[in-house]
């Protein structure tokens, strides 16, 4: 087994490599990746590493060194609930840009690894509220984050659970439409990371990773005054968000994704009164639009 001193070096290298992989130059985020031990949020080793078409492979031993790669780690492998890919989260957290003193709400906190990374970024004057639907994961996250005074873990459905207004809402499960509960609680200047996914974005191991990732789109929504600015920032394959999906919006999303032009989207409107030519995706009472 590697010693703690050796692991500290491994974590530092991991942090540098993960951020470099997605072209992110963000020293506080790099320091957070270097500081937070992934093994403290991954349960008992050996760990199940998600290998896409080969499903899971166990690490050879319970040496934490095996967790410092850009792979997904099974939290509940039988349900394909994973600790997400470090480089994807580095990109998404960089886009969310949590700052010292801010309030972050993390929907789908899992066992708390990225919650702890964002807690590191907001510091002692800020706080992170992690909301987790699965009771066992919420319990694990609460235990794993017990040492962090600026983290609160709530067990519940993030689509409806009330929370104090937030500067960042970081959603880690796939929705088919924007959720009013989140838009209503985003502070002016606040940023939301929103993964929109079709039913094809996760689950079928016969699909290649790229086929799955193309069925998901992560949007960065920024609230400025009464306006919501929207921008595509990534593809994604991620498990569905309970309570935040419906068939009608899923069908409309699949059609919009097939039509392309996602990277031309600039606005989210909380009404659907937008000209067809300007509309990328319309739902009842909302629209993602080109201008
Ligand atoms: C892809 S996993 C990611 C977990 C964690 N972010 C990580 O990377 O370690 C998504 C998580 O979202 C949770 N989830 C799904 N729907 C939810 C909801 N409506 N509210 C809160 N959590 C939800 C799942 O239970 C699961 O733990």
């Amino acid at each position: 087994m590697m010693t703690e001193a050796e692991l500290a070096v491994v974590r530092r290298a991991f942090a540098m490599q993960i951020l470099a992989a997605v072209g992110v130059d963000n020293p506080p985020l790099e320091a957070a990746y270097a500081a937070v031990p992934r093994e403290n949020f991954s349960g008992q080793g050996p760990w199940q590493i998600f290998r896409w078409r080969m499903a899971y492979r166990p690490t050879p031993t319970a040496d934490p060194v095996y967790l410092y790669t850009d792979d997904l780690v099974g939290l509940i492998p039988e349900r394909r609930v994973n600790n997400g890919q470090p480089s994807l989260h580095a990109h998404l957290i960089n886009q969310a840009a949590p700052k010292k003193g801010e309030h972050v709400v993390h929907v789908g906190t899992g066992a708390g690894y990225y919650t702890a990374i964002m807690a590191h970024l907001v510091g002692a004057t800020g706080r992170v509220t992690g909301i987790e639907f699965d009771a066992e994961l919420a319990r694990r996250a609460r235990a794993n984050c017990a040492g962090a005074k600026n983290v609160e873990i709530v067990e519940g459905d993030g689509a409806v659970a009330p929370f104090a207004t937030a500067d960042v809402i970081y959603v880690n499960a796939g929705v088919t439409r924007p959720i009013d509960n989140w838009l209503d609680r985003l502070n002016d200047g606040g940023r939301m990371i929103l993964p929109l996914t079709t039913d094809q974005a996760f689950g079928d191991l016969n699909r290649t990773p790229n086929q799955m990732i193309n069925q998901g789109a992560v949007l960065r929504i920024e609230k400025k005054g009464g306006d919501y600015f929207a921008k595509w920032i990534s593809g994604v394959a991620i498990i569905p968000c309970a309570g935040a999906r419906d068939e009608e919006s899923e069908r409309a999303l699949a059609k919009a994704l097939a039509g392309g032009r996602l990277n031309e989207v600039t606005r989210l409107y909380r009404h659907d009164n937008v000209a067809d030519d300007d509309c990328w995706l319309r739902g009842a009472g909302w629209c993602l639009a080109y201008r």
Side-chain angles (χ1 to χ4, degrees):
M1 294 274 265
M2 284 210 172
T3 64
E4 186 43 50
E6 287 170 328
L7 283 172
V9 176
V10 168
R11 265 181 224 116
R12 188 94 189 94
F14 167 74
M16 293 170 73
Q17 289 163 4
I18 290 303
L19 268 67
V22 280
V24 168
D25 179 10
N26 181 335
L29 182 58
E30 188 181 305
Y33 269 82
V36 178
R38 201 178 186 192
E39 59 273 27
N40 292 359
F41 300 85
S42 305
Q44 203 66 38
W47 299 278
Q48 297 290 331
I49 306 295
F50 186 58
R51 301 285 183 203
W52 296 94
R53 296 181 90 169
M54 292 182 295
Y56 291 93
R57 285 279 166 90
T59 56
T61 69
D63 191 325
V65 71
Y66 292 113
L67 295 173
Y68 293 101
T69 62
D70 197 19
D71 293 306
L72 293 86
V73 177
L75 295 173
I76 311 178
E78 56 279 19
R79 284 183 17 220
R80 221 94 60 71
V81 179
N82 299 315
N83 176 228
Q85 188 181 27
S87 64
L88 173 68
H89 284 272
H91 171 55
L92 300 183
I93 294 172
N94 184 56
Q95 289 286 330
K99 295 178 193 63
K100 291 258 180 263
E102 288 192 328
H103 179 211
V104 175
V105 171
H106 186 185
V107 178
T109 208
Y113 178 58
Y114 295 107
T115 311
I117 286 191
M118 292 189 287
H120 199 276
L121 290 171
V122 298
T125 56
R127 64 199 174 102
V128 183
T129 305
I131 308 178
E132 175 49 54
F133 189 68
D134 181 272
E136 172 59 14
L137 282 177
R139 188 197 61 72
R140 280 168 63 179
R142 199 170 288 126
N144 294 340
C145 296
K149 290 193 172 59
N150 60 350
V151 174
E152 183 192 5
I153 302 295
V154 176
E155 180 196 328
D157 176 353
V160 292
F163 53 80
T165 60
D167 305 296
V168 170
I169 301 179
Y170 191 68
V171 183
N172 280 175
V175 304
T176 58
R177 53 186 152 79
I179 301 299
D180 285 338
N181 189 40
W182 304 335
L183 294 169
D184 290 345
R185 290 177 159 80
L186 198 57
N187 285 334
D188 194 19
R191 292 82 62 201
M192 175 162 69
I193 302 300
L194 186 73
L196 289 167
T197 57
T198 76
D199 292 347
Q200 311 302 316
F202 204 69
D204 181 357
L205 288 180
N206 291 318
R207 299 170 77 88
T208 65
N210 273 346
Q211 281 171 331
M212 287 194 248
I213 285 164
N214 288 338
Q215 290 294 315
V218 186
L219 298 183
R220 178 188 193 273
I221 312 281
E222 182 166 7
K223 183 177 179 189
K224 284 189 188 159
D227 295 324
Y228 294 86
F229 292 90
K231 166 171 101 157
W232 175 86
I233 56 172
S234 180
V236 72
I238 196 163
I239 71 164
C241 187
R245 305 184 65 81
D246 67 81
E247 277 179 28
E248 193 183 333
S249 58
E250 195 274 340
R251 270 196 304 275
L253 173 64
K255 195 169 161 204
L257 283 170
R261 298 189 67 190
L262 178 52
N263 56 4
E264 295 174 42
V265 171
T266 63
R267 300 286 289 245
L268 167 66
Y269 292 103
R270 299 188 75 183
H271 61 78
D272 52 19
N273 185 20
V274 176
D276 283 349
D277 282 354
D278 294 336
C279 213
W280 180 71
L281 172 57
R282 191 196 308 272
W286 61 275
C287 183
L288 282 162
Y290 303 121
R291 62 195 181 115

